Coordinates of all heavy atoms in Angstrom, one line a residue:
Chain A
Q39 N -19.0 50.7 146.8 CA -18.3 51.2 145.6 C -18.9 52.6 145.3 O -20.0 52.7 144.7 CB -18.6 50.3 144.4 CG -17.8 50.7 143.2 CD -17.9 49.8 142.0 OE1 -19.0 49.3 141.8 NE2 -16.8 49.6 141.2
P40 N -18.3 53.7 145.7 CA -18.7 55.0 145.4 C -18.5 55.3 144.0 O -18.0 54.5 143.2 CB -17.8 55.9 146.3 CG -16.6 55.1 146.5 CD -17.1 53.6 146.6
P41 N -19.0 56.5 143.5 CA -18.9 56.9 142.1 C -17.4 56.9 141.7 O -17.1 56.7 140.5 CB -19.5 58.3 142.0 CG -20.5 58.3 143.1 CD -19.9 57.4 144.3
S42 N -16.5 57.0 142.5 CA -15.1 57.0 142.2 C -14.6 55.6 141.8 O -13.5 55.4 141.2 CB -14.2 57.4 143.4 OG -14.3 56.5 144.5
R43 N -15.4 54.6 141.9 CA -15.3 53.2 141.5 C -14.5 52.3 142.5 O -14.7 51.1 142.4 CB -14.7 53.2 140.1 CG -15.5 53.6 139.0 CD -15.1 53.0 137.7 NE -13.7 53.1 137.4 CZ -13.1 53.6 136.4 NH1 -13.8 54.2 135.4 NH2 -11.7 53.6 136.2
Q44 N -13.7 52.9 143.3 CA -12.9 52.1 144.1 C -13.7 51.3 145.2 O -14.3 51.9 146.1 CB -11.7 52.8 144.8 CG -10.7 52.0 145.5 CD -9.4 52.8 145.7 OE1 -9.4 54.0 145.8 NE2 -8.3 52.1 145.8
M45 N -13.6 50.0 145.3 CA -14.3 49.3 146.3 C -13.7 49.3 147.7 O -12.4 49.2 147.7 CB -14.4 47.8 145.8 CG -15.0 47.5 144.5 SD -16.9 47.2 144.6 CE -16.8 45.5 145.1
I46 N -14.6 49.4 148.7 CA -14.1 49.5 150.0 C -14.9 48.6 151.0 O -16.1 48.6 150.8 CB -14.2 51.0 150.5 CG1 -13.6 52.0 149.7 CG2 -13.7 51.1 151.9 CD1 -14.0 53.5 149.8
L47 N -14.1 47.9 151.8 CA -14.8 47.1 152.7 C -15.6 47.8 153.8 O -15.1 48.8 154.4 CB -13.8 46.1 153.5 CG -14.4 45.2 154.5 CD1 -15.3 44.2 153.8 CD2 -13.3 44.5 155.3
V48 N -16.9 47.5 154.0 CA -17.7 48.3 154.9 C -17.7 47.5 156.2 O -17.6 48.0 157.3 CB -19.1 48.4 154.3 CG1 -20.1 49.0 155.5 CG2 -19.2 49.4 153.2
I49 N -18.0 46.1 156.1 CA -18.2 45.3 157.3 C -18.1 43.9 156.9 O -18.3 43.4 155.8 CB -19.6 45.6 157.9 CG1 -19.7 45.2 159.4 CG2 -20.7 44.9 157.1 CD1 -20.9 45.9 160.1
R50 N -17.5 43.0 157.9 CA -17.3 41.7 157.7 C -17.9 40.8 158.9 O -18.0 41.2 160.1 CB -15.8 41.3 157.6 CG -15.4 39.9 157.6 CD -14.0 39.6 157.4 NE -13.2 40.4 158.3 CZ -11.9 40.7 158.0 NH1 -11.3 40.2 156.9 NH2 -11.2 41.5 158.8
Q51 N -18.5 39.7 158.6 CA -19.2 38.9 159.6 C -18.6 37.5 159.5 O -18.6 37.0 158.3 CB -20.7 38.8 159.4 CG -21.5 37.9 160.3 CD -21.7 38.4 161.7 OE1 -21.9 39.7 161.9 NE2 -21.5 37.6 162.6
E52 N -18.2 36.9 160.5 CA -17.7 35.5 160.5 C -19.0 34.6 160.9 O -19.6 34.9 161.9 CB -16.6 35.3 161.5 CG -15.4 36.1 161.0 CD -14.2 36.1 162.1 OE1 -13.6 35.1 162.2 OE2 -14.1 37.1 162.7
A53 N -19.2 33.6 160.1 CA -20.4 32.8 160.4 C -20.5 32.1 161.7 O -21.7 31.9 162.2 CB -20.5 31.7 159.2
Y54 N -19.4 31.8 162.3 CA -19.5 31.1 163.6 C -19.7 32.1 164.7 O -20.0 31.6 165.9 CB -18.2 30.3 163.9 CG -16.9 31.2 164.1 CD1 -16.6 31.6 165.4 CD2 -16.1 31.5 163.1 CE1 -15.5 32.4 165.6 CE2 -14.9 32.3 163.2 CZ -14.7 32.8 164.5 OH -13.6 33.5 164.7
K55 N -19.7 33.3 164.5 CA -20.0 34.3 165.5 C -21.5 34.7 165.4 O -21.9 35.2 164.4 CB -19.1 35.6 165.3 CG -17.6 35.4 165.6 CD -16.9 36.7 165.6 CE -15.4 36.6 165.9 NZ -14.7 37.8 165.8
Q56 N -22.2 34.5 166.5 CA -23.6 34.8 166.6 C -23.9 36.3 166.7 O -24.9 36.8 166.2 CB -24.2 34.1 167.6 CG -24.2 32.5 167.5 CD -25.1 31.8 168.6 OE1 -25.6 32.5 169.5 NE2 -25.3 30.6 168.3
Q57 N -22.9 37.0 167.3 CA -23.1 38.5 167.4 C -23.0 39.1 166.1 O -22.0 38.9 165.3 CB -22.1 39.0 168.4 CG -22.2 40.5 168.7 CD -21.3 41.0 169.9 OE1 -20.4 40.2 170.3 NE2 -21.5 42.2 170.3
N58 N -23.9 40.1 165.8 CA -23.9 40.8 164.7 C -22.8 41.8 164.6 O -22.6 42.6 165.6 CB -25.2 41.5 164.4 CG -26.4 40.6 164.0 OD1 -26.1 39.5 163.4 ND2 -27.5 40.9 164.5
A59 N -22.0 42.0 163.4 CA -21.0 42.9 163.4 C -21.5 44.3 163.2 O -22.6 44.6 162.7 CB -20.2 42.6 162.1
T60 N -20.8 45.2 163.8 CA -21.2 46.7 163.8 C -19.9 47.5 163.5 O -18.8 47.3 164.1 CB -21.7 47.1 165.2 OG1 -22.9 46.4 165.3 CG2 -22.1 48.6 165.1
E61 N -20.1 48.5 162.7 CA -19.0 49.5 162.4 C -19.6 50.9 162.3 O -20.2 51.3 161.3 CB -18.3 49.1 161.1 CG -17.4 47.9 161.1 CD -16.1 48.0 161.7 OE1 -15.7 49.3 162.1 OE2 -15.5 47.1 162.1
N62 N -19.5 51.5 163.4 CA -20.1 52.9 163.5 C -21.6 52.9 163.1 O -22.4 52.3 163.8 CB -19.3 53.9 162.7 CG -17.8 54.0 163.1 OD1 -17.5 54.0 164.3 ND2 -16.9 53.8 162.1
R63 N -21.8 53.6 162.0 CA -23.3 53.7 161.6 C -23.8 52.5 160.8 O -24.9 52.3 160.4 CB -23.5 55.0 160.7 CG -23.3 56.3 161.4 CD -23.5 57.5 160.6 NE -22.6 57.5 159.4 CZ -23.0 57.2 158.2 NH1 -24.2 56.8 157.9 NH2 -22.1 57.3 157.2
F64 N -22.9 51.5 160.6 CA -23.3 50.3 159.7 C -23.3 49.2 160.7 O -22.4 48.9 161.5 CB -22.1 50.1 158.7 CG -22.0 51.2 157.8 CD1 -21.2 52.3 158.0 CD2 -22.6 51.2 156.5 CE1 -21.1 53.3 157.1 CE2 -22.6 52.2 155.6 CZ -21.7 53.2 155.9

Side-chain angles (χ1 to χ4, degrees):
Chain A
Q39 185 180 38
S42 65
R43 291 202 313 232
Q44 192 163 21
M45 300 272 277
I46 304 166
L47 178 66
V48 175
I49 202 164
R50 170 172 50 197
Q51 176 78 42
E52 298 171 72
Y54 68 88
K55 290 186 177 179
Q56 294 188 350
Q57 186 174 6
N58 290 326
T60 300
E61 289 288 343
N62 300 314
R63 297 182 295 107
F64 298 86

